[in-house]
């Protein structure tokens, strides 16, 4: 089970005099669903990078369960992420030239000599669930919204204990946004995963149990959204 505990996390870059992220303390219970909102430049993606171990700058600790991921080497963080985290990045990071299905199945290819049939079936199911029936088209020809859905299916393939999503519905129209948001929340709940979703989408935020508001790298509000919590 993946509880998140942040202590004294401060992230600054060589050309940023002030910390772009400054979180003295934050605790997120295992299995909770947390929305993070805030204006552009408030540090949301920086937070995603810190929580997923993609970026290691700054000081402080980020503990998921018993593991302080900032104590790991870069290779150690990559292994940890591959095992525990489903990550939906703001710019998707899909591999050009591969189909949607191949993109969803790419991460396990590094650890399986031959892909188990169950994984292939799950990849098909997830693509259907996100509303992409034709997983065989190259991702290059897909619309932004379709790419976003491929990235979500890929993140969920492993049934990860931690799902971190950076604006997962940003490229979608209201209807598909609602559908994809619902799917993220449902799948996270099914697996008891902890879900942290950066979003500007109030509909998605309302589906979560808690909403953090970031401003200039600080958490300025931390509200339970009890009416929708289950
Ligand atoms: N690698 C970096 N080097 C220098 N500054 C950075 C770096 N990454 C982020 N920043 C700065 O940190 C601040 C927060 O950026 P971040 O990408 O986290 O914002 P955001 O809230 O995700 O914005 P958006 O909603 O536009 O995606 C910005 O001022 C940005 O310029
Ligand atoms: Mg961002």
């Amino acid at each position: 089970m993946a509880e998140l505990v942040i202590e004294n996390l401060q992230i600054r870059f060589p050309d940023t005099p002030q910390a772009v992220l400054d979180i003295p303390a934050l605790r997120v219970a295992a299995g909770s669903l947390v929305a993070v909102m805030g204006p552009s430049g408030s540090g949301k993606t920086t937070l995603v990078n810190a929580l997923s171990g993609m970026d290691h700058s700054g000081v402080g600790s980020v503990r998921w369960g018993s593991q302080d991921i900032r104590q790991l080497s870069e290779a150690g963080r990559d292994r940890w992420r591959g095992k525990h985290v489903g990550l939906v990045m703001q710019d998707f990071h899909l591999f050009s030239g591969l189909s949607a299905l191949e993109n969803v199945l790419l991460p396990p290819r590094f650890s399986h000599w031959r892909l188990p049939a169950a994984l292939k079936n799950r990849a098909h199911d997830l693509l259907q669930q996100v509303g992409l029936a034709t997983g065989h088209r190259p991702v290059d020809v897909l619309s932004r919204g379709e790419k976003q859905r491929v990235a979500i299916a890929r993140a969920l393939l492993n049934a990860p204990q931690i799902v971190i999503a950076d604006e997962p519905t940003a490229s979608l129209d209201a209807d598909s946004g609602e559908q994809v948001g619902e799917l993220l929340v449902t799948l996270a709940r099914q697996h008891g995963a902890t879900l942290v979703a950066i979003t500007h989408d109030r509909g998605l935020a309302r589906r979560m149990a808690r909403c953090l508001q970031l401003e200039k790298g600080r958490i300025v509000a931390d509200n339970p959204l009890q009416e929708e919590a289950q």
Side-chain angles (χ1 to χ4, degrees):
M1 275 297 168
E3 182 193 34
L4 167 67
V5 179
I6 292 181
E7 278 170 0
N8 298 320
L9 181 65
Q10 281 199 351
I11 294 179
R12 66 184 78 227
F13 297 103
D15 62 340
T16 58
Q18 297 235 314
V20 297
L21 195 64
D22 185 351
I23 303 183
L26 176 70
R27 187 178 284 262
V28 173
S32 16
L33 310 181
V34 181
V36 180
M37 304 189 89
S40 181
S42 59
K44 303 182 299 296
T45 297
T46 307
L47 177 62
V48 163
N49 293 340
L51 293 184
S52 59
M54 296 286 287
D55 187 82
H56 187 54
S57 15
V59 295
S61 67
V62 173
R63 256 188 354 261
W64 280 107
S66 55
Q67 181 67 64
D68 182 348
I69 60 170
R70 292 169 60 86
Q71 297 294 323
L72 295 170
S73 64
E74 190 174 346
R77 288 200 308 279
D78 288 345
R79 271 197 303 275
W80 171 85
R81 188 181 321 108
K83 205 161 159 203
H84 300 284
V85 182
L87 184 60
V88 184
M89 294 169 91
Q90 197 165 20
D91 45 8
F92 315 136
H93 285 253
L94 298 177
F95 284 81
S96 171
L98 298 184
S99 73
L101 184 64
E102 286 162 342
N103 263 279
V104 173
L105 285 168
L106 193 59
R109 285 212 186 274
F110 297 113
S111 49
H112 290 82
W113 180 66
R114 186 171 282 163
L115 285 180
L119 265 186
K120 292 189 191 167
N121 291 338
R122 185 168 160 80
H124 272 291
D125 289 350
L126 280 166
L127 282 171
Q128 293 242 308
Q129 281 179 285
V130 296
L132 274 185
T134 55
H136 297 289
R137 300 176 71 205
V139 286
D140 313 72
V141 304
L142 300 181
S143 72
R144 234 186 114 71
E146 288 170 332
K147 287 183 180 140
Q148 183 143 47
R149 289 182 268 166
V150 177
I152 289 172
R154 182 179 59 185
L156 296 175
L157 181 71
N158 236 355
Q161 277 302 295
I162 302 166
V163 180
I164 302 172
D166 199 350
E167 309 208 18
T169 61
S171 306
L172 304 175
D173 58 72
D175 279 353
S176 15
E178 195 164 318
Q179 215 179 331
V180 162
E182 185 67 47
L183 180 71
L184 257 183
V185 168
T186 305
L187 289 175
R189 280 214 174 102
Q190 267 171 15
H191 298 297
T194 310
L195 170 64
V196 179
I198 312 299
T199 187
H200 292 291
D201 176 350
R202 296 200 169 270
L204 176 58
R206 269 197 296 275
R207 287 193 176 77
M208 320 276 274
R210 183 173 172 193
C211 182
L212 304 177
Q213 182 78 29
L214 270 185
E215 258 171 48
K216 296 189 180 144
R218 271 94 177 146
I219 296 175
V220 294
D222 181 353
N223 296 315
L225 295 168
Q226 257 131 15
E227 69 272 26
E228 298 284 331
Q230 287 178 8

